[in-house]
Every structure is written in structure tokens, then in C-alpha cells.
Amino acid sequence: MDGFDLLVINGLVVTASDTANYDIAIKDGKIALLAPPGVLGKESAKRVIDAEGGYVMPGGVDTHVHLEEPALFGGKGRSSDTFETGTRSSVCGGTTTIVAFAPQAKTIPSLLAVLEDTHARAKDNCYTDYSFHMLVGHPGEQALSEFPRLRELGISSLKIYMTYEALQLRDDQILDILLASRREGITTMIHAENGDVLNWMTRKLEERGLYAPKYHATSRPQIVETEATNRAIALAELMDAPILVVHVSSPSAAAHLRTAQTRGLPVYAETCPQYLFLTRADLDRPDFEGAKCVCSPPPRESAADHDAIWLGLANGTFTVLSSDHCPFMYEDREQGKKSILSDAFPEGRFSGIPNGCPGIETRLALTLSANRLPLQKFVEVTSTNAARLYGLYPTKGTILPGVSDADLTIWYPPGRLGSFKLTNSMLHHNVDYTPFEGVELNQWPRWTILRGQVVWDRDGGGLVGKKGYGQFVRRGKSTLPGPRKSGDWDVSVF
Ligand SMILES: *[C@@H]1O[C@H](CO)[C@@H](O)[C@H](O)[C@H]1NC(C)=O
């Protein structure tokens, strides 16, 4: 058994199911075999990486990433990361596969056309492997009729919105989507906030002249998210269709999701570092700096809210921890956070601040450094479950010899880096800030490997991957439980 391309030795290999000392042999971009330490001679491979006791994990899978999107959300904001800069940032933070969005505006009837456009933007530009979720803004006859073709093209998920004027769907439109998705084995991701209620709240605040960034949180209290989450669960139960509620921030929304799961419904949930590390006090940073942390739903009140989200990650309520990377420049007066400043509104208007925070590169290091999850759970929510839910498993999300791509994130031996502060100058995105500036870290990926190629080598050149090495990955059906096919009526009659 020789002729491997790469050996990773002396690592503590952590997957969602096991933690053990193995050496890993890689050939032709795949995991070839795992062996007890020292069994594979160093001479059996062209290159050897000594992990020196550091964790070796399946490459991160980030399934909530906005890149190079047209402006659909109202306001002037425009993504500052392209597929090139976003995926560059991704590999430097240990994430080897991303799923970005292919957004359909209300004026475009065809999803296939949107998919083709998005392919053209990503092709030959990515450092990571990648796929797309369809973002459905116009679920008309044509779009719904294209679902079977989407599956043939390797797309098995879509996202819809219960808010944002340009994208908000009515409940009956959501039922149309759920029914068609269920039929084709597509997972529906839902942004659950009640758009009508938060528009009303916004109007009332503005009538009183309350415009500062911090009122973004006031306009979207937890109950706005909780109500919509509960409604999304009800609609999914009616259609017996699997859903994932994206970027859950509120403990009460999480509790509803937990109850639905306990009842056996195929209801999945996602949260993000914003809801573990930021609070609404960050929206009140002096000058206009609070705008840096404006995202929806907003960061919540206190450490108690963070604790509830951590608990939900540990106890299985949250299936995945994604970044919701949504990059806007801060200083940019044309397309960034500051585009809302004007003479008439010197402190801006919270309702028009481009919504979103960057985080594709910081997701893994922040979460691992916080040391609040068992290691296997960390791998499960940052890689394995995302691969399972979105039809990438076991090619991605695990280390299965003969089957999985050789995508690895190799960390420093625990304690080696000491403690250091995160700062934006360490990052490789095209954004002039990180909302997590100053957070204490004790880990960072030392090497990132994508299909057997080292693409990030922190001590040996940093970014060493090449733009265009990343490939589109055709996805299959979710391998997590789907429709229950029971109940007192049969949705197939519709
Ligand atoms: C699991 O976490 C969720 C979300 O915080 C919480 O609502 C639920 O009570 C927790 N369940 C248990 C059994 O601790």
C-alpha cells in the first residue's frame, strides 16, 4: 500500500461520531484510509503533514452564505464579497464547502435562468467547493414546474422569506412551495420573521423620530420571530414537508422548534455566531458603529439568550451552525452600511441600513475557541449535519475512507496559540470590519485541505489555494428524516 499523495499524521481525528488518534492517507483527492499512528510509513506518500496532536476534522461546510447578489432587499446595499473573495476568506477560516444563494427577483419567472446566471458568476472563481440554494421570490407556475429539473441539476434546497417587501411570501404561496418541494425531495429553508408586524413597528418608531441603529432591534422583538417560526412549523406540518428555519436568534423560537422536533416533525433549525457573541447593546455602539451589527433577526438581549442558543446547539435543537455571511462595507457611502447617512438623516435610518454581517472566515475559530460544545458536536453542527441536510453527505462532512473527499481542517495543538484577539486585519474577506472585533480566540485553522490539496497553510504562506480550484458539487436529497408519510390525509392528491 504505497503511492499516497499526502499523509496527515499524529492528529486527533474528530468526526461527528468518533474521536481517536489516526493517521490519514489521501490519494487522488479522496480519503484513502485511516490507520493507527505510525503504521503507514512516511515514505509511502509524496507529502507528510505532522499535526503534532492537533485536531483533524472534516472541512467546514457553511450552508448559509450570501455572495455577489443583486440588491433585492431594498436599500442601496450591495454584497462586497464576490465568489472569489468570499470563498478565499472561507478557506482561510477552515471551511471547504459553501452553499450560496441563487436569488430570484419577483420580476423573474424562471428559476433555471437565475441558476444559470449564478453559475456564471461562480465558475472558475471559487477557492472552495460550492453549490447554490434557490432563493425563491416569485413562486409562479413556471418556477414551480422547474423543480424536477432543479433536482436533475443537483439543487435540492431553496429558501423563502416571510419578510422583506421584495421577497415576502403569503402563507398560500408558502404552501405551494412546500407541496412542490415535498414532491421533489427538496428542503425548504425559511426566514421566519413576521414582515407585516415589523413594518408596523418600524412605522411607529419612525413617527416618533427614532432612527438610530439600535432601534433595529426594537422594531423586531423576539415575538416577531417566534410567531413566524410557529407559523412556519404549522404550514410545514400541514404539508408534511421538511423545513429548516434559518438564523434562529430567539430562545422562545428555539423552544417552539424543539417542541416540533419532539413531536417527530422533520423540522430543522439553524443558528449563527451573531446570536452567540453579539447582543443588542452592540447596535448601540457610538457614532454609527452599531450599524456594523445590524442583521436580521437582530442580536438579542443578554448572555441568558446566548446560553439558550448554546444549549440548543448542544442538545440537538439546532441542526447546523452557519455564518449567514452577508458582507457590506462599513465606510462605503454608495453601497455599504453608510449609504443610509444623509444630511436629512445624519444618524441614518435603521430601516434602510444594509442588513447583514460578514462571518464566513470566523465561524469555526470563534465557536471552537469558546469551548462550549463537545468536539464531536462542534463537527456535527459546523460540517456533518449541513452535509446531511443538503445532500452532500458522505462526500462532504465526514472522513469515510474510499468515499469522502479529502477535505480537512487541521487545528493547532490545544494551547499552542495562547490567547489572542480577533481583528479584521487577520481576515481575507473584502469587508472593512468584522462585527467580532476584539473577541478572544485560542484557535485558528493551521491547515485547510480541499480534495487533497493544501489551500491554507497559516505558517507556510497563508493562502496557498488557487482561485478556480473549487468545483460545483451536485447535491442529492437530504439524508436526514423527511416527510413522515402518515396522517389522516394524503398530500399527493393535491
Ligand atoms: C434544548 O434547547 C432548547 C433551546 O434552547 C430548549 O428550548 C430546550 O428546553 C432544551 N431541552 C432540554 C431537554 O434541555
Coordinates of all heavy atoms in Angstrom, one line a residue, residues 137-196:
G137 N -38.3 34.1 -5.0 CA -39.0 35.4 -4.7 C -40.4 35.4 -5.5 O -41.3 36.2 -5.2
H138 N -40.5 34.5 -6.4 CA -41.7 34.5 -7.3 C -42.1 33.1 -7.6 O -41.7 32.5 -8.7 CB -41.3 35.3 -8.6 CG -42.4 35.3 -9.6 ND1 -43.8 35.2 -9.3 CD2 -42.4 35.5 -11.0 CE1 -44.5 35.3 -10.4 NE2 -43.6 35.5 -11.4
P139 N -42.9 32.4 -6.7 CA -43.2 31.0 -6.9 C -44.4 30.9 -7.8 O -45.5 30.3 -7.4 CB -43.6 30.6 -5.5 CG -44.0 31.8 -4.7 CD -43.4 33.0 -5.4
G140 N -44.3 31.4 -9.0 CA -45.4 31.2 -10.0 C -45.3 29.8 -10.6 O -44.5 29.0 -10.3
E141 N -46.2 29.6 -11.6 CA -46.4 28.3 -12.3 C -45.0 27.9 -12.9 O -44.6 26.7 -12.7 CB -47.4 28.4 -13.4 CG -48.5 27.4 -13.3 CD -49.6 27.7 -14.2 OE1 -49.5 27.3 -15.4 OE2 -50.6 28.3 -13.8
Q142 N -44.4 28.8 -13.6 CA -43.1 28.4 -14.2 C -42.1 28.0 -13.2 O -41.5 26.9 -13.4 CB -42.6 29.6 -15.0 CG -41.2 29.2 -15.6 CD -40.7 30.1 -16.7 OE1 -41.4 31.1 -17.1 NE2 -39.6 29.7 -17.4
A143 N -41.9 28.7 -12.2 CA -40.9 28.4 -11.2 C -41.2 27.0 -10.6 O -40.3 26.1 -10.5 CB -40.8 29.4 -10.1
L144 N -42.4 26.8 -10.2 CA -42.8 25.5 -9.5 C -42.6 24.3 -10.5 O -42.2 23.3 -10.1 CB -44.3 25.6 -9.0 CG -44.5 26.6 -7.9 CD1 -46.0 26.7 -7.6 CD2 -43.8 26.2 -6.6
S145 N -42.9 24.6 -11.8 CA -42.7 23.5 -12.8 C -41.3 23.1 -13.0 O -41.0 22.1 -13.6 CB -43.4 23.9 -14.1 OG -42.6 24.8 -14.8
E146 N -40.4 24.0 -12.6 CA -38.9 23.7 -12.8 C -38.3 22.9 -11.7 O -37.1 22.5 -11.8 CB -38.2 25.1 -13.0 CG -38.6 25.8 -14.3 CD -38.0 27.2 -14.4 OE1 -37.5 27.8 -13.3 OE2 -38.0 27.8 -15.4
F147 N -39.0 22.6 -10.6 CA -38.4 21.9 -9.5 C -37.8 20.6 -9.9 O -36.7 20.3 -9.5 CB -39.4 21.7 -8.4 CG -39.7 22.9 -7.5 CD1 -39.3 24.2 -7.9 CD2 -40.2 22.7 -6.2 CE1 -39.5 25.3 -7.1 CE2 -40.4 23.8 -5.4 CZ -40.1 25.1 -5.8
P148 N -38.5 19.7 -10.7 CA -37.8 18.5 -11.1 C -36.5 18.7 -11.8 O -35.5 18.0 -11.6 CB -38.9 17.8 -12.0 CG -40.2 18.4 -11.7 CD -39.8 19.8 -11.2
R149 N -36.5 19.7 -12.7 CA -35.2 19.9 -13.4 C -34.1 20.4 -12.5 O -32.9 20.1 -12.6 CB -35.5 21.0 -14.5 CG -34.3 21.4 -15.4 CD -33.9 20.2 -16.3 NE -32.6 20.5 -17.0 CZ -31.6 19.7 -17.2 NH1 -31.7 18.4 -16.7 NH2 -30.6 20.1 -17.8
L150 N -34.5 21.2 -11.5 CA -33.5 21.7 -10.5 C -32.8 20.5 -9.8 O -31.6 20.4 -9.6 CB -34.2 22.5 -9.4 CG -34.6 23.9 -9.8 CD1 -35.3 24.6 -8.7 CD2 -33.4 24.8 -10.2
R151 N -33.7 19.5 -9.5 CA -33.1 18.3 -8.8 C -32.1 17.6 -9.8 O -31.1 17.1 -9.3 CB -34.2 17.3 -8.4 CG -34.9 17.7 -7.1 CD -34.0 17.7 -5.9 NE -33.1 16.5 -5.9 CZ -33.5 15.3 -5.5 NH1 -34.7 15.1 -5.1 NH2 -32.7 14.2 -5.5
E152 N -32.5 17.5 -11.0 CA -31.6 16.9 -12.0 C -30.3 17.6 -12.1 O -29.2 17.1 -12.3 CB -32.2 16.8 -13.4 CG -33.3 15.8 -13.6 CD -34.1 16.0 -14.9 OE1 -33.6 16.8 -15.7 OE2 -35.2 15.4 -15.0
L153 N -30.3 18.9 -11.8 CA -29.1 19.8 -11.9 C -28.4 19.8 -10.6 O -27.4 20.6 -10.5 CB -29.5 21.2 -12.4 CG -30.1 21.3 -13.8 CD1 -30.6 22.7 -14.1 CD2 -29.0 20.9 -14.8
G154 N -28.8 19.0 -9.6 CA -28.1 18.9 -8.4 C -28.4 19.9 -7.3 O -27.6 20.2 -6.4
I155 N -29.6 20.5 -7.5 CA -30.0 21.5 -6.5 C -31.2 20.9 -5.6 O -32.2 20.6 -6.2 CB -30.5 22.8 -7.2 CG1 -29.5 23.4 -8.1 CG2 -31.0 23.8 -6.1 CD1 -28.2 23.9 -7.4
S156 N -31.0 20.8 -4.3 CA -32.0 20.1 -3.5 C -32.5 20.9 -2.3 O -33.0 20.4 -1.3 CB -31.5 18.8 -3.0 OG -30.2 19.0 -2.3
S157 N -32.4 22.3 -2.5 CA -32.9 23.1 -1.4 C -33.2 24.5 -1.9 O -32.7 24.9 -3.0 CB -31.8 23.3 -0.3 OG -30.6 23.7 -0.9
L158 N -34.1 25.2 -1.2 CA -34.5 26.5 -1.6 C -34.8 27.3 -0.4 O -35.0 26.7 0.7 CB -35.6 26.5 -2.6 CG -36.9 25.8 -2.2 CD1 -37.8 26.7 -1.3 CD2 -37.7 25.4 -3.4
K159 N -34.8 28.6 -0.5 CA -35.1 29.5 0.6 C -36.2 30.4 0.3 O -36.2 31.0 -0.8 CB -33.8 30.2 1.0 CG -34.0 31.1 2.2 CD -32.7 31.9 2.5 CE -32.8 32.8 3.7 NZ -31.7 33.8 3.7
I160 N -37.0 30.7 1.3 CA -38.1 31.6 1.1 C -38.1 32.6 2.3 O -37.6 32.3 3.4 CB -39.5 31.0 1.0 CG1 -39.8 30.0 2.2 CG2 -39.5 30.2 -0.4 CD1 -41.2 29.5 2.1
Y161 N -38.8 33.7 2.2 CA -38.8 34.8 3.2 C -40.3 35.1 3.6 O -41.2 35.2 2.8 CB -38.3 36.1 2.6 CG -36.8 36.0 2.4 CD1 -36.2 35.4 1.3 CD2 -35.9 36.6 3.4 CE1 -34.8 35.4 1.2 CE2 -34.6 36.6 3.3 CZ -34.0 36.0 2.1 OH -32.6 35.9 2.0
M162 N -40.4 35.3 4.9 CA -41.7 35.7 5.5 C -41.6 37.2 5.8 O -42.5 37.8 6.4 CB -42.0 34.9 6.7 CG -42.2 33.4 6.4 SD -42.3 32.4 7.9 CE -44.1 32.5 8.3
T163 N -40.6 37.9 5.3 CA -40.4 39.3 5.5 C -39.6 39.9 4.3 O -39.4 39.1 3.3 CB -39.7 39.6 6.8 OG1 -39.5 41.0 6.9 CG2 -38.3 39.0 6.8
Y164 N -39.3 41.1 4.3 CA -38.7 41.9 3.2 C -39.7 42.1 2.0 O -40.0 41.1 1.4 CB -37.4 41.3 2.6 CG -36.3 41.2 3.6 CD1 -35.7 40.0 3.9 CD2 -35.8 42.3 4.2 CE1 -34.6 39.9 4.8 CE2 -34.7 42.3 5.1 CZ -34.1 41.0 5.4 OH -33.1 41.0 6.3
E165 N -40.1 43.3 1.8 CA -41.1 43.6 0.8 C -40.8 42.9 -0.5 O -41.7 42.4 -1.1 CB -41.1 45.1 0.6 CG -42.5 45.6 0.3 CD -42.6 47.1 0.6 OE1 -42.1 47.5 1.7 OE2 -43.1 47.9 -0.2
A166 N -39.6 42.9 -1.0 CA -39.3 42.4 -2.3 C -39.4 40.9 -2.4 O -39.3 40.3 -3.5 CB -37.9 42.9 -2.7
L167 N -39.4 40.2 -1.2 CA -39.3 38.8 -1.2 C -40.4 38.1 -0.4 O -40.6 36.9 -0.5 CB -38.0 38.4 -0.7 CG -36.8 38.8 -1.5 CD1 -35.5 38.7 -0.6 CD2 -36.6 38.0 -2.7
Q168 N -41.1 38.8 0.4 CA -42.1 38.2 1.4 C -43.1 37.4 0.7 O -43.8 37.9 -0.3 CB -42.7 39.3 2.2 CG -43.7 38.8 3.3 CD -44.2 39.8 4.2 OE1 -43.6 40.9 4.4 NE2 -45.3 39.6 4.9
L169 N -43.4 36.2 1.1 CA -44.4 35.4 0.5 C -45.6 35.3 1.4 O -45.5 35.3 2.7 CB -43.9 34.0 0.2 CG -42.7 33.8 -0.7 CD1 -42.4 32.3 -1.0 CD2 -42.9 34.6 -2.0
R170 N -46.8 35.2 0.9 CA -48.0 34.9 1.7 C -48.0 33.5 2.1 O -47.4 32.6 1.5 CB -49.3 35.3 0.8 CG -49.4 36.7 0.4 CD -50.8 36.9 -0.2 NE -51.1 35.8 -1.2 CZ -50.9 35.9 -2.5 NH1 -50.4 37.0 -3.0 NH2 -51.2 34.9 -3.3
D171 N -48.9 33.2 3.0 CA -49.0 31.8 3.5 C -49.4 30.8 2.4 O -48.9 29.7 2.3 CB -49.9 31.7 4.7 CG -49.4 32.4 5.9 OD1 -48.3 32.8 5.9 OD2 -50.2 32.4 6.9
D172 N -50.3 31.2 1.5 CA -50.7 30.3 0.5 C -49.6 30.0 -0.5 O -49.4 28.9 -1.1 CB -52.0 30.8 -0.2 CG -51.8 32.2 -0.9 OD1 -50.9 32.9 -0.5 OD2 -52.6 32.5 -1.8
Q173 N -48.7 31.1 -0.7 CA -47.6 30.8 -1.6 C -46.6 29.9 -0.9 O -45.9 29.1 -1.6 CB -46.9 32.2 -1.9 CG -47.7 33.1 -2.7 CD -47.0 34.5 -2.9 OE1 -46.7 35.1 -1.9 NE2 -46.8 34.9 -4.1
I174 N -46.5 30.0 0.4 CA -45.6 29.1 1.1 C -46.1 27.7 1.0 O -45.3 26.7 0.8 CB -45.4 29.5 2.6 CG1 -44.8 30.9 2.6 CG2 -44.6 28.5 3.4 CD1 -44.7 31.5 4.0
L175 N -47.4 27.5 1.0 CA -47.9 26.1 0.9 C -47.6 25.6 -0.5 O -47.3 24.4 -0.7 CB -49.5 26.1 1.1 CG -49.9 26.4 2.6 CD1 -51.4 26.4 2.7 CD2 -49.3 25.4 3.5
D176 N -47.7 26.4 -1.5 CA -47.4 26.0 -2.9 C -45.9 25.4 -2.9 O -45.7 24.4 -3.5 CB -47.5 27.1 -3.9 CG -48.9 27.4 -4.3 OD1 -49.8 26.6 -4.1 OD2 -49.2 28.6 -4.8
I177 N -45.1 26.2 -2.3 CA -43.6 25.8 -2.3 C -43.4 24.5 -1.6 O -42.7 23.6 -2.0 CB -42.8 26.9 -1.6 CG1 -42.9 28.2 -2.4 CG2 -41.4 26.4 -1.3 CD1 -41.7 28.5 -3.2
L178 N -44.1 24.4 -0.4 CA -43.8 23.2 0.4 C -44.4 22.0 -0.3 O -43.7 20.9 -0.2 CB -44.5 23.4 1.8 CG -43.9 24.4 2.7 CD1 -44.8 24.7 4.0 CD2 -42.5 24.0 3.2
L179 N -45.5 22.1 -0.9 CA -46.1 21.0 -1.6 C -45.2 20.5 -2.7 O -44.8 19.3 -2.8 CB -47.5 21.3 -2.1 CG -48.2 20.2 -2.8 CD1 -48.5 19.1 -1.8 CD2 -49.5 20.7 -3.4
A180 N -44.7 21.5 -3.5 CA -43.9 21.1 -4.7 C -42.5 20.6 -4.2 O -41.9 19.6 -4.8 CB -43.7 22.3 -5.6
S181 N -42.0 21.2 -3.1 CA -40.7 20.7 -2.6 C -40.8 19.3 -2.1 O -39.9 18.5 -2.3 CB -40.2 21.6 -1.5 OG -40.2 22.9 -1.9
R182 N -41.8 19.1 -1.3 CA -42.0 17.7 -0.8 C -42.0 16.7 -1.8 O -41.3 15.6 -1.7 CB -43.3 17.7 0.0 CG -43.7 16.4 0.6 CD -45.1 16.4 1.1 NE -45.4 15.4 2.0 CZ -45.5 14.1 1.8 NH1 -45.5 13.7 0.5 NH2 -45.8 13.2 2.7
R183 N -42.7 17.0 -2.9 CA -42.8 16.0 -4.0 C -41.5 15.7 -4.6 O -41.2 14.6 -5.0 CB -43.7 16.7 -5.1 CG -44.4 15.7 -6.0 CD -45.4 16.5 -6.9 NE -46.7 16.6 -6.3 CZ -47.5 17.7 -6.5 NH1 -47.1 18.7 -7.3 NH2 -48.7 17.7 -6.0
E184 N -40.6 16.7 -4.7 CA -39.3 16.5 -5.4 C -38.2 16.2 -4.5 O -37.0 16.1 -4.9 CB -39.0 17.8 -6.2 CG -40.0 18.1 -7.3 CD -40.3 17.0 -8.2 OE1 -39.4 16.2 -8.5 OE2 -41.5 16.9 -8.7
G185 N -38.4 16.1 -3.2 CA -37.3 15.9 -2.2 C -36.4 17.1 -2.1 O -35.2 16.9 -2.0
I186 N -37.0 18.2 -2.0 CA -36.3 19.5 -1.8 C -36.5 20.0 -0.4 O -37.7 19.8 0.2 CB -36.8 20.5 -2.8 CG1 -36.2 20.2 -4.2 CG2 -36.3 22.0 -2.4 CD1 -36.7 21.0 -5.3
T187 N -35.5 20.5 0.3 CA -35.7 21.0 1.6 C -35.9 22.5 1.5 O -35.2 23.2 0.8 CB -34.4 20.8 2.5 OG1 -34.2 19.4 2.5 CG2 -34.5 21.3 3.9
T188 N -36.9 23.0 2.3 CA -37.3 24.4 2.2 C -36.7 25.1 3.4 O -37.0 24.8 4.6 CB -38.8 24.6 2.2 OG1 -39.3 23.9 1.1 CG2 -39.2 26.1 2.1
M189 N -35.9 26.2 3.2 CA -35.3 27.0 4.3 C -36.2 28.2 4.4 O -36.6 28.8 3.4 CB -33.9 27.5 3.9 CG -33.0 26.3 3.4 SD -31.6 26.9 2.5 CE -30.5 27.6 3.8
I190 N -36.5 28.6 5.6 CA -37.4 29.7 5.8 C -36.8 30.8 6.7 O -36.3 30.5 7.8 CB -38.8 29.2 6.5 CG1 -39.4 28.1 5.5 CG2 -39.8 30.3 6.7 CD1 -40.7 27.6 6.0
H191 N -36.9 32.0 6.2 CA -36.5 33.2 7.1 C -37.8 33.5 7.8 O -38.8 34.1 7.2 CB -36.0 34.3 6.2 CG -35.7 35.6 7.0 ND1 -34.6 36.3 6.8 CD2 -36.4 36.2 8.0 CE1 -34.6 37.4 7.6 NE2 -35.7 37.3 8.3
A192 N -37.9 33.3 9.1 CA -39.1 33.4 9.9 C -39.1 34.7 10.7 O -38.6 34.7 11.8 CB -39.3 32.2 10.7
E193 N -39.6 35.8 10.1 CA -40.0 37.0 10.9 C -41.2 37.5 10.2 O -41.4 37.4 9.0 CB -38.9 38.0 10.7 CG -37.6 37.8 11.6 CD -36.7 39.0 11.5 OE1 -36.2 39.3 10.4 OE2 -36.4 39.6 12.5
N194 N -42.1 38.0 11.0 CA -43.4 38.5 10.5 C -43.2 39.9 9.9 O -43.1 40.9 10.6 CB -44.5 38.5 11.6 CG -45.8 38.9 11.1 OD1 -46.0 39.8 10.3 ND2 -46.9 38.2 11.6
G195 N -43.1 39.9 8.6 CA -42.9 41.2 7.9 C -43.9 42.3 8.1 O -43.5 43.4 8.3
D196 N -45.2 41.9 8.2 CA -46.2 42.9 8.4 C -46.0 43.6 9.8 O -46.2 44.8 9.9 CB -47.6 42.3 8.3 CG -47.9 41.9 6.8 OD1 -47.0 42.1 6.0 OD2 -49.0 41.3 6.6

